Amino acid sequence: MNDTVKYVLDEGRIPKAWYNIAADLPTPPAPVLHPGTKQPVGPADLEPLFPMSLILQEVSTEREIEIPGPVRDIYRQWRPSPLFRARRLEKALQTPAKIYYKYEGVSPAGSHKPNTAVAQAFYNKEAGIRKITTETGAGQWGSALAFAGALFGIEIKVYMVRVSYDQKPYRRALMETYGAKCIASPSSETNSGRAILEKNKNHPGSLGIAISEAVEVAATHDDTKYALGSVLNHVLMHQTIVGQEAMAQLEMAGDYPDIIVGCTGGGSNFAGIAFPFIGAQLRGGRKLRVIAIEPAACPSLTRGKFAYDFGDTAHLTPLVKMHTLGSTFTPPGFHAGGLRYHGMAPLVSHALDLGLIEAKAYKQVECFSAGVQFARAEGIVPAPEANHAVKGAIDEALRCKTEGKSKVILFNLCGHGHFDMQAYIDYFGGKLTDQSYAESELAMALAGLPSVPAPA
Amino acid sequence: MNDTVKYVLDEGRIPKAWYNIAADLPTPPAPVLHPGTKQPVGPADLEPLFPMSLILQEVSTEREIEIPGPVRDIYRQWRPSPLFRARRLEKALQTPAKIYYKYEGVSPAGSHKPNTAVAQAFYNKEAGIRKITTETGAGQWGSALAFAGALFGIEIKVYMVRVSYDQKPYRRALMETYGAKCIASPSSETNSGRAILEKNKNHPGSLGIAISEAVEVAATHDDTKYALGSVLNHVLMHQTIVGQEAMAQLEMAGDYPDIIVGCTGGGSNFAGIAFPFIGAQLRGGRKLRVIAIEPAACPSLTRGKFAYDFGDTAHLTPLVKMHTLGSTFTPPGFHAGGLRYHGMAPLVSHALDLGLIEAKAYKQVECFSAGVQFARAEGIVPAPEANHAVKGAIDEALRCKTEGKSKVILFNLCGHGHFDMQAYIDYFGGKLTDQSYAESELAMALAGLPSVPAPA
């Protein structure tokens, strides 16, 4: 018969501190540079955008940063999230591998994003901030921040990539149900948006453009700050509760991962599951393989250059050294909207450069096929982003079968696909194809990577 | 600050038996009658539709029926479900009441329905059944059975009310992702469906018609049985794990409910939360108020007659004594599709007749308003059906405020609204109105209630 193995931690075991991998890396990541002076930025340079407490987290090299009581208190609504052994999937694959998955879809917004949204809203509230601007692609991050804003009484304004705004009304409705305001980007509300619209009034938008708009509004209003859902050090750090819990849950199971798999857009869910384990390895613990899975249509880690680049299209953000496809790169439309960012978190990029992780790119049809196989075995329909991690884990499990090895595979199922059923309809109807990859190749060629050379 | 209070039971505390209220009722419910002979049915009469193990549960008067190991094993994927104290909602309402809610949206299909779907699939599998037919309205039940079918390797065929089939492609996509086959009802596949289509080839369908189709296919195929997602005794009984867990969780909290609120369509989620407490009261325990909330557009408990009626439109099912609007009653289109059934579970109807419960009807706009208030306080977006329970609980909490009483209110949040965001969009856009009630009045008048008089 089928059987379920779920590892539940008592709520007293929600981590008391976030883990900061900067404390354990053999070399620090390259400094963040001011877009004007090209010199390393100081905390004061970032103050128009973020409360000081988050800026200090961004540059901290302390190994542990205490999670404030009110944040842990809200985490308790859905944390510790469950860790499952995917026994039914293992049977379907007939693999000797043990597959574990951490499930972050249990949060109110349905993904890992509230882990950092709640923390960011808390620190902004502490700093007396009344409004936060942000951008969103598929809408997972926007709805997470909208949720957090509702809890703390902070107004949330979300610049949503226009193509998603039009095609994903349900994620937008979720943000509005939480009370957030959602604006199609590019919009006529900002200089960055107007500049794009002047050239093309039907511009479909991109994450880079939406970031420019949100940053511009925050930088020009005293009562308003900006929040980012991935890429930055403090955002990745907030997600490390995922990996810390998984470590404790695997200990309950008497196992330790040989292989960790996560999908990467900006890098935060991947870092969340992987960094605590990589840190343990760096401190002398067991060595493991850590695989970042990205979409072949937006392959920053596998095909981008490791160079300084802007985080946004209008070049309002600082310069960060990362794997990038160029800040003007616009990936073709594909369904994993949360993975459509031109760059990669500097810490994840640095980890790849140090050889601590591997990277692999998959096309979308094979990812959806894996997602459907997972749903039929485990009952949970993954988000299109998470399908990339599912595909990566299944491939490793099948390799174990070929090699006759019983390895322990851990992956992060970062969110459910309830708001993404149109993508599944397209997949079943044969409308979701891999044809856009030629378009992606062309876009990469035109982007002339990287768009910004490393400074002298 | 905001705070979360969650009561989590260890998985060893998933109930070991379902609770059967038939054992504690002062008088038994009226017998089920054969549609032809009008005499009480025997187990053999039901064999074309159900495996014998479920038929014996349907007529059992044992207080406890053991939950099979493999069923509990699957329950463990999401059970025990959490019980929350809605502290943030209490603060928003400024009520002295304590509001607790049991949250069933954590199941893979997102509602309480898998509690019985898994059990029914298990017993069918044990009986060697390879195919199950069923009907679905909004799609919650259909997707729950599709999930259970995938786990047990049983083919699931779902007759989905045509108007939902056309308007809710995402629930349909969920069923198909689980591997089920979904057919718009009325269909040309059955005599019942063809008879309707001959009169009106654009008939929007109804639950009563979809039941006729599913029953007809099961009755005429040896390898196929039928499954119902509510109404029947055994279905209500499978849901009692919800109330049993809530009782244990409230004990952890040191509380006992003064008032229990549940929404009622067919009656199963309501019975699930309420029957264990009503049973305790019947055995000499504390008396409580139990309130069934139904939609004003389909008010079987508050305005229907308590009489024998058919469960379906084509009159293929046995006759059951229940609160009914008449088996030909077609409620106007409104968003809580899961509450659009003409009748009510015989056990719930009987409980109302015995004075064990109260019933109250609400219009949909006020329910959505309550749902949005709940979402902004608690972070969870309820299904439209569950909004009725939310509205009922909020009203009781506000009454406590007026009366200055600190009562303990428990309600069942039976599912999330992730697949129902169009209804929220309509609500925010002012398109969701209460205008259809005149239509409902007319339909009730035309139905000439009840459609079938009680037999001599």
Side-chain angles (χ1 to χ4, degrees), chain A residues 393-452:
Chain A
I394 287 178
D395 271 10
E396 290 300 324
L398 292 176
R399 184 206 294 231
C400 286
K401 185 177 170 180
T402 309
E403 296 177 356
K405 286 180 184 162
S406 172
K407 296 203 172 161
V408 175
I409 301 168
L410 167 67
F411 76 95
N412 194 15
L413 192 70
C414 59
H416 62 61
H418 299 172
F419 295 95
D420 305 285
M421 295 312 295
Q422 187 60 48
Y424 281 88
I425 293 173
D426 292 347
Y427 168 72
F428 287 122
K431 288 183 196 159
L432 187 146
T433 67
D434 289 330
Q435 284 167 3
S436 58
Y437 292 96
E439 198 188 322
S440 183
E441 294 292 336
L442 183 63
M444 275 189 271
L446 290 174
L449 309 177
S451 59
V452 177

Side-chain angles (χ1 to χ4, degrees), chain B residues 38-92:
Chain B
K38 307 281 196 305
Q39 293 303 308
V41 297
D45 292 318
L46 298 171
E47 260 199 293
L49 297 187
F50 305 105
M52 191 48 72
S53 44
L54 287 174
I55 295 170
L56 294 177
Q57 288 185 6
E58 185 68 16
V59 298
S60 170
T61 53
E62 293 292 313
R63 182 171 290 125
E64 295 193 338
I65 293 191
E66 194 187 339
I67 304 175
V71 173
R72 287 184 83 230
D73 198 36
I74 293 170
Y75 281 168
R76 283 163 55 207
Q77 186 174 352
W78 70 94
R79 304 209 72 85
S81 68
L83 177 85
F84 292 102
R85 168 98 180 261
R87 275 264 177 89
R88 300 192 294 245
L89 179 63
E90 291 170 16
K91 279 180 197 162

Side-chain angles (χ1 to χ4, degrees), chain B residues 1 36 46 57 92 128 130 172 223 238 243 261 315 332 374 389 422:
Chain B
M1 251 319 297
L46 298 171
Q57 288 185 6
R130 304 167 62 109
R172 176 156 53 95
D223 63 347
H238 295 159
V261 178
H315 296 184
F374 181 84
Q422 187 59 48

Side-chain angles (χ1 to χ4, degrees), chain A residues 1-8 11 70 73-80 82 84 88 101 105-110 122 125 147 150-152 167 169-171 173-180 371-372 375-381 416-419 421-422 424-425 428, chain B residues 1-8 11 70 73-80 82 84 88 101 105-110 122 125 147 150-152 167 169-171 173-180 371-372 375-381 416-419 421-422 424-425 428:
Chain A
M1 251 321 298
N2 304 299
D3 52 341
T4 307
V5 189
K6 177 173 69 170
Y7 298 94
V8 181
E11 68 177 24
D73 197 36
I74 293 170
Y75 282 168
R76 283 163 54 207
Q77 187 174 353
W78 69 95
R79 306 209 71 85
F84 292 102
R88 300 192 294 245
Y101 62 99
V106 293
S107 82
F122 168 80
K125 182 78 178 181
F147 158 68
L151 300 189
F152 286 97
Q167 288 175 4
Y170 293 173
R171 269 278 173 199
L174 180 60
M175 292 183 240
E176 288 168 354
T177 301
Y178 287 141
V372 169
R376 289 184 185 173
E378 298 294 319
I380 299 170
V381 179
H416 62 61
H418 299 172
F419 295 95
M421 295 312 295
Q422 187 60 48
Y424 281 88
I425 293 173
F428 287 122
Chain B
M1 251 319 297
N2 304 298
D3 52 340
T4 307
V5 189
K6 177 173 68 169
Y7 298 94
V8 181
E11 69 176 25
D73 198 36
I74 293 170
Y75 281 168
R76 283 163 55 207
Q77 186 174 352
W78 70 94
R79 304 209 72 85
F84 292 102
R88 300 192 294 245
Y101 62 98
V106 294
S107 81
F122 167 79
K125 182 77 178 181
F147 158 68
L151 300 190
F152 287 97
Q167 289 175 3
Y170 294 172
R171 269 281 171 196
L174 180 60
M175 292 182 242
E176 288 168 355
T177 301
Y178 286 141
V372 170
R376 289 183 185 175
E378 298 293 320
I380 299 169
V381 179
H416 62 60
H418 299 172
F419 295 96
M421 294 312 294
Q422 187 59 48
Y424 281 88
I425 293 173
F428 287 123

Side-chain angles (χ1 to χ4, degrees), chain A residues 74-120:
Chain A
I74 293 170
Y75 282 168
R76 283 163 54 207
Q77 187 174 353
W78 69 95
R79 306 209 71 85
S81 68
L83 177 86
F84 292 102
R85 168 102 180 258
R87 274 264 177 88
R88 300 192 294 245
L89 179 64
E90 290 170 16
K91 279 181 199 162
L93 298 172
Q94 296 183 286
T95 176
K98 291 181 183 180
I99 307 175
Y100 291 92
Y101 62 99
K102 181 78 169 161
Y103 183 40
E104 290 292 310
V106 293
S107 82
S111 78
H112 63 295
K113 294 289 188 189
N115 295 334
T116 185
V118 169
Q120 293 191 52

